[in-house]
Amino acid sequence: MTPQYAGLRTLHNDNDDVVVLGFPCNQFGNQEPGTDAEILEFATSQFDVNFPMFSKIEVNGANTAPLYELLKEAQPGDGDSADITWNFEKFLVDKAGNVIKRYAPSTTPEEIATDLDQFR
C-alpha cells in the first residue's frame, strides 16, 4: 500500500481545498520502523511526498494519539471494533473539523477524489 503515498500527493496537489496529513504508525507488521526523519526521507525520495508528515504515533491501544481517538469515535467503521485495521486507513474531515467519512486501507486516493465533490 506504500505506493498510495504518490496518490495522496496527487490528491493534495490537485485540490486547492484539500490538505493531506500523514501520520506514520508502526503498529502494523513493523512497516514503519524508522525514525521520523527516515520515514520522511523515504516518503519524499521514493514518492515525492510534499504534504505534511507528522511524528510517528500509535493509533490503537492504550497509547492511542488523541487525534485518532476523536477520528475513531466520529467514524467507528464497519467492524467489530473502531480500531484502525492497517496503515493507510484514511479519514475525510471537512473545513469545520467534522469527520465525515472513513476509508479502508485498500481504498485508493483516486477513489477518495471521486467523493470530494459531494462534500464540498
Side-chain angles (χ1 to χ4, degrees):
M1 287 188 214
T2 306
Q4 285 192 31
Y5 272 132
L8 291 167
R9 180 202 65 235
T10 299
L11 190 66
H12 178 80
N13 290 344
D14 290 356
N15 296 277
D16 290 336
D17 57 347
V18 173
V19 177
V20 172
L21 305 175
F23 294 91
C25 177
N26 196 39
Q27 290 185 288
F28 307 101
N30 201 35
Q31 291 196 338
E32 303 245 46
T35 65
D36 293 342
E38 291 168 335
I39 293 167
L40 180 60
E41 161 61 25
F42 172 77
T44 56
S45 67
Q46 298 297 309
F47 300 100
D48 199 25
V49 164
N50 63 349
F51 53 81
M53 292 285 290
F54 292 83
S55 293
K56 194 175 352 180
I57 62 171
E58 291 190 18
V59 297
N60 293 326
N63 295 318
T64 298
L67 172 62
Y68 271 77
E69 293 207 7
L70 181 141
L71 292 169
K72 294 187 302 184
E73 182 179 319
Q75 289 289 326
D78 297 328
D80 295 334
S81 162
D83 281 352
I84 302 299
T85 59
W86 200 258
N87 282 331
F88 290 96
E89 193 150 338
K90 297 163 276 300
F91 292 86
L92 186 59
V93 179
D94 70 13
K95 292 177 184 180
N98 300 303
V99 186
I100 53 178
K101 193 160 182 181
R102 181 175 179 164
Y103 296 92
S106 59
T107 303
T108 67
E110 294 78 15
E111 292 172 287
I112 294 170
T114 63
D115 281 353
L116 292 179
D117 285 338
Q118 67 180 309
F119 297 114
R120 287 188 166 127

